[in-house]
Amino acid sequence: MYPVINPATEQECAQVTLAGVTEADVAIERAHDAFARWREVAPGERATLLRGFASVIDGHIDELAELEVRGAGHTWSNARWEAGNVRDVLNYYSATPERLFGRQIPVPGGIDITFREPLGVVGVIVPWNFPMPIFGWGVAPALAAGNTVVVKPAELTPLTALRIGELALEAGLPDGVLTVIPGRGDVVGQRFVTHPLVRKVSFTGSTRVGKQVMAGCAHQLKRCTLELGGKSANIIFADADLHKAAATAPYAVFDNAGQDCCARSRILVEHSAYDEFLTLFERAVAGVRVADPASDTDSEMGPLISAVQRDRVQGYLDGVDVAFTGSAPQGDGFWVPPTVVLPVSTADRVWQEEVFGPVVSVLPFDDEDEAVAMANDSAYGLSGSIFTGDVGRALRVARGVESGNLSVNSHAAVRYWTPFGGYKQSGLGRELGPDAPDALTEEKNVFIATTKE
Ligand code: NDP
């Protein structure tokens, strides 16, 4: 049994039985058996089942949100959004089965057509930072494309995944089509990589483990999609609406206590606006409401997920110049206040590495070229924001920054209508958006001769 701990109070809130390799193998084989039937379900019927699943989720938004508030320390507004995101992503991809088009390609001597065939069993490995959305992004397009799915939630946060697995059955998804297998990463997650019946792994988590997953998949030439770390830049030019830039910057990095692969954890400010920005930013950071989300429904930032993560984050603050901090509750819980640091240079560890906590670094830049160079001086390239009043500059900088998802005068990064994924060591492949099902299918080409003998 594995105890799930409420990170805001350090109290146990549930016990979960972890699966081993034997249980994982049984679930994978059942998913493989179910695949033979699921791929034959008529497109319209599969669409109806996915819409029904979305509708059952919709009826359980508050219940799912409460599980995430207590089991992962998420704020109520985030947790409700996250449960709603699972519903929305299921609804979005419910349109897929009836639109999984192939092509007819002009060729001599006959007709050439392509088909999008499902892969088989898809394994989705989910991290602890956004247990519900990342579950939905992996599962919904995979099911829609005709695959069956096995999901391994993070040990720290299995509760919502397990409940959504039950809701899938309640919604009428056939047995074995979607199976949630709680277990250790190096046991169940690793089995997804090594089991030959798992034909693709969708992994979200650390770059370190992502590389292991990719290396393991290579042995079977197994497909994989990797959504990994980030160190995203929030670039603020002097001609921007500085009040808006400063007011929104805390939420772009401290949301989910900074445990967000898209966190804008490096703020780059044009020299001439640097002092004014810092003054406005300090006020905005002081205004972030940090409290136990279970007892304060207006809390804007909760605790870190675990003592390990808190200690890891605090390790980044040793010997660093802290400019100012926000507040955090005292006593039990894995708390770190919103913290703003001023690195000495871009070589500093806190500027280069993914902290995955409520810590943001600020540095000035002189001109547009330097801003782009500083943003790109990173192993990562997942997300980022550009604040400027000049539309031409906004587009030049957006084209120049090596990152998969950028926003101008906004921090909106992840939208289920649009592709999401990273450059460089932030990942491989894209999730979400209209093309996600393509990455969960094989393209098959069939030629039919029409020439007379
Ligand atoms: P991990 O990469 O270890 O965990 C992510 C998922 O992978 C979990 O479900 C985990 O299982 C699973 N996993 C772990 N080892 C293996 C393995 N050998 N094979 C297959 N699956 C495995 O992240 P951590 O929880 O250790 O977090 C460490 C750091 O990673 C964070 O501080 C942050 O920097 C980064 N991170 C980034 C995320 C992102 O969204 N990009 C998400 C999470 C972390 P289990 O946890 O159950 O062991």
Side-chain angles (χ1 to χ4, degrees):
M1 294 296 265
Y2 184 87
V4 178
I5 306 293
N6 178 338
T9 61
E10 302 182 40
Q11 300 297 309
E12 182 178 310
C13 62
Q15 292 260 353
V16 170
T17 307
L18 297 186
V21 171
T22 310
E23 290 91 347
D25 282 357
V26 169
I28 291 166
E29 278 151 30
R30 273 183 54 234
H32 178 68
D33 292 344
F35 172 61
R37 296 182 295 280
W38 180 243
R39 67 176 302 172
E40 296 304 331
V41 171
E45 198 182 327
R46 205 181 314 141
T48 303
L49 281 164
L50 292 177
R51 282 195 286 272
F53 187 11
S55 157
V56 171
I57 300 271
D58 189 51
H60 293 79
I61 297 285
D62 282 343
E63 181 198 334
L64 289 166
E66 182 163 13
L67 283 176
E68 217 69 299
V69 169
R70 294 190 193 283
H74 287 207
T75 62
W76 272 101
S77 62
N78 276 12
R80 284 205 183 90
W81 180 89
E82 288 157 13
N85 183 256
V86 179
R87 171 203 57 214
D88 295 345
V89 172
L90 281 165
N91 272 327
Y92 180 72
Y93 288 110
S94 73
T96 295
E98 293 169 297
R99 294 167 179 78
L100 206 55
F101 302 122
R103 290 178 293 175
Q104 182 266 311
I105 301 173
V107 292
I111 300 287
D112 194 278
I113 46 177
T114 65
F115 296 90
R116 287 267 165 207
E117 305 282 15
L119 300 171
V121 181
V122 172
V124 179
I125 301 175
V126 181
W128 44 261
N129 59 331
F130 288 112
M132 285 194 276
I134 293 169
F135 178 112
W137 306 347
V139 166
L143 292 179
N147 305 284
T148 54
V149 182
V150 287
V151 181
K152 193 209 89 64
E155 276 169 90
L156 291 167
T157 56
L159 301 181
T160 44
L162 286 166
R163 186 67 185 121
I164 293 171
E166 292 169 359
L167 296 176
L169 294 174
E170 212 173 282
L173 257 68
D175 225 29
V177 166
L178 172 62
T179 313
V180 178
I181 318 171
R184 287 173 47 153
D186 57 2
V187 176
V188 176
Q190 180 62 15
R191 193 63 187 130
F192 289 4
V193 173
T194 58
H195 200 301
L197 289 179
V198 176
R199 302 294 288 275
K200 172 163 186 176
V201 175
S202 296
F203 172 86
T204 305
S206 63
T207 297
R208 183 183 64 80
V209 176
K211 288 176 182 174
Q212 289 172 16
V213 166
M214 187 175 174
C217 285
H219 288 293
Q220 296 170 16
L221 285 182
K222 186 176 290 192
R223 280 83 181 115
C224 64
T225 297
L226 305 172
E227 297 293 354
L228 310 175
K231 191 71 189 177
S232 298
N234 178 6
I235 307 172
I236 299 163
F237 288 92
D239 66 2
D241 176 343
L242 279 192
H243 287 267
K244 181 179 173 189
T248 57
Y251 301 96
V253 60
F254 302 138
D255 187 53
N256 207 30
Q259 304 165 119
D260 181 348
C261 48
C262 292
R264 275 67 165 170
S265 54
R266 293 184 297 158
I267 300 182
L268 285 61
V269 191
E270 191 167 3
H271 240 302
S272 56
Y274 185 73
D275 290 340
E276 186 185 352
F277 174 79
L278 274 187
T279 304
L280 294 168
F281 188 43
E282 182 166 8
R283 211 175 299 151
V285 171
V288 177
R289 192 179 178 101
V290 184
D292 177 355
S295 55
D296 182 341
T297 52
D298 294 327
S299 171
E300 294 177 314
M301 189 186 114
L304 293 169
I305 190 67
S306 65
V308 169
Q309 192 63 15
R310 178 197 55 201
D311 296 347
R312 195 182 278 158
V313 169
Q314 280 172 338
Y316 279 96
L317 299 176
D318 291 342
V320 165
D321 178 9
V322 173
F324 46 87
T325 70
S327 64
Q330 303 296 313
D332 291 343
F334 310 124
W335 298 98
V336 174
T339 303
V340 178
V341 305
L342 305 177
V344 177
S345 83
T346 57
D348 287 15
R349 192 170 158 245
V350 72
W351 180 265
Q352 285 293 337
E353 294 183 17
E354 181 175 51
V355 176
F356 227 60
V359 177
V360 67
S361 306
V362 189
L363 276 177
F365 65 84
D366 284 324
D367 58 25
E368 195 178 308
D369 288 347
E370 190 187 18
V372 173
M374 283 170 72
N376 288 341
D377 177 20
S378 170
Y380 298 110
L382 188 56
S383 189
S385 306
I386 300 147
F387 278 75
T388 175
D390 177 339
V391 70
R393 166 184 278 160
L395 278 169
R396 279 193 307 275
V397 175
R399 298 295 301 271
V401 174
E402 296 166 341
S403 171
N405 309 269
L406 289 156
S407 320
V408 174
N409 297 327
S410 153
H411 297 295
V414 187
R415 296 153 174 269
Y416 60 81
W417 306 272
T418 57
F420 175 67
Y423 278 39
K424 301 191 274 186
Q425 296 198 30
S426 286
L428 192 73
R430 294 291 180 268
E431 294 189 299
L432 298 175
D435 303 328
D438 287 356
L440 291 150
T441 52
E442 290 285 6
E443 189 171 32
K444 182 181 283 177
N445 193 70
V446 177
F447 170 74
I448 306 158
T450 55
T451 46
K452 287 185 184 158
E453 286 305 316

